Amino acid sequence: LVFVALVFVSGFFSHALWRGFGKPLSDHKVENIGSDEDGERVKEFHVELTKSSHIAGSKRNDELAHYIANKFRDFAFDEVELKNYSVRLSYPDSDRPSSVKLFDSAGEVKYSCRNMEKPLTEFEKNNPTTPLFNAHSKPGTIKAPYVYVNYAHPSDFELLRKHNISVTGKIVLARYGMMFRGNKVQNAAAAGAAAIVLFKDLSSPQVTERFPNSEFAPSSAGERGTILLYVWFIHSYSFSFYCCNHDNSFLLL
């Protein structure tokens, strides 16, 4: 069961300073909102929300839904209600996590990627998060030659075709950036690739230091997300989406 309250928290408040699409509120209103901000309280909320894994549908996700609801009540919201919805989700297999291995011509493993980040604190050592995964990926094992495809943009595959480099039946390596990961997967499949490996590019010249010395994630950090391509419906200034009810009908939120 997934609590919808969690879904809206970041989206609603991150866009609270914007009216419509790309139209900021007046400087006066922004200044007034900023003047009421309590840095220590914001830090307290963020620590509670992020201190441990809270993948959708998990026990921790449930706890945070009630935590947020109680905070809303403390903030004197007129009415706060939690509703349960059945949503189609996929989860990583902790017993058999995803892995990426590089073999030499003799079939020996020369490199094996980590499926978890290096813990940075004692708390993280004792409270491991979920293995790295992309939700709604097809399960399976692929062993094939690989081709680097930059961002997996259609223009990247077109450039490879111009140089007579085929990705058909191969594993393509693509770095994050420029577009949604789901589009990268879609583009790779359209080009005939058997699988895609997405990785974070650490060579950005704009990033000179990483956590804990800056706000940028540590080099061992990985992304988790979905490759599912959603159809978003725009209603005035907000986005809506569908979720599945118990009778498998769909409800527009």
Side-chain angles (χ1 to χ4, degrees):
L1 298 179
V2 178
F3 289 85
V4 177
L6 273 182
V7 175
F8 291 112
V9 169
S10 61
F12 180 80
F13 288 103
S14 64
H15 295 285
L17 301 182
W18 296 86
R19 176 182 298 146
F21 294 100
K23 298 179 181 180
L25 298 175
S26 69
D27 292 339
H28 174 70
K29 290 182 179 179
V30 172
E31 182 179 352
N32 285 344
I33 293 174
S35 65
D36 294 333
E37 185 177 299
D38 184 337
E40 287 303 312
R41 293 186 71 192
V42 171
K43 180 179 179 180
E44 173 194 334
F45 299 151
H46 281 198
V47 167
E48 184 63 30
L49 293 172
T50 63
K51 68 182 183 182
S52 59
S53 177
H54 51 90
I55 191 169
S58 66
K59 179 182 178 181
R60 180 59 179 164
N61 186 77
D62 183 17
E63 293 171 352
L64 288 180
H66 288 276
Y67 170 80
I68 293 170
N70 289 332
K71 288 299 180 184
F72 283 177
R73 296 183 182 102
D74 293 342
F75 299 155
F77 276 50
D78 292 333
E79 183 177 352
V80 179
E81 181 181 2
L82 291 176
K83 291 188 176 181
N84 297 340
Y85 295 96
S86 295
V87 181
R88 301 183 188 277
L89 300 174
S90 67
Y91 294 91
D93 188 340
S94 297
D95 296 326
R96 295 188 303 166
S98 300
S99 64
V100 178
K101 297 179 180 179
L102 179 65
F103 296 84
D104 63 14
S105 58
E108 297 293 328
V109 177
K110 305 302 293 184
Y111 180 78
S112 182
C113 293
R114 292 190 304 271
N115 53 44
M116 296 277 285
E117 293 89 344
K118 293 180 179 179
L120 301 177
T121 65
E122 285 299 318
F123 182 87
E124 290 183 359
K125 290 180 181 178
N126 300 321
N127 296 271
T129 185
T130 58
L132 294 170
F133 81 110
N134 279 323
H136 302 287
S137 299
K138 291 184 178 180
T141 300
I142 303 293
K143 189 174 182 179
Y146 66 90
V147 178
Y148 172 67
V149 295
N150 197 24
Y151 289 107
H153 189 272
S155 61
D156 295 321
F157 290 104
E158 181 60 31
L159 180 62
L160 290 172
R161 281 191 290 269
K162 288 182 179 179
H163 288 81
N164 296 318
I165 300 174
S166 173
V167 301
T168 301
K170 298 178 181 177
I171 298 172
V172 295
L173 308 181
R175 51 181 173 161
Y176 278 110
M178 286 192 66
M179 72 186 81
F180 173 54
R181 66 176 70 86
N183 294 109
K184 295 176 185 287
V185 175
Q186 183 184 51
N187 295 338
I196 183 171
V197 175
L198 302 174
F199 67 93
K200 182 175 60 177
D201 185 2
L202 299 178
S203 63
S204 173
Q206 286 79 30
V207 182
T208 57
E209 290 189 334
R210 294 186 175 275
F211 182 87
N213 299 319
S214 79
E215 70 274 18
F216 292 102
S219 57
S220 67
E223 290 195 21
R224 294 163 181 78
T226 180
I227 63 169
L228 192 64
L229 295 173
Y230 293 98
V231 178
W232 294 96
F233 297 85
I234 301 175
H235 296 277
S236 62
Y237 305 134
S238 64
F239 293 107
S240 299
F241 60 93
Y242 287 99
C243 74
C244 183
N245 283 320
H246 293 285
D247 60 357
N248 287 325
S249 63
F250 287 92
L251 176 68
L252 178 63
L253 299 179

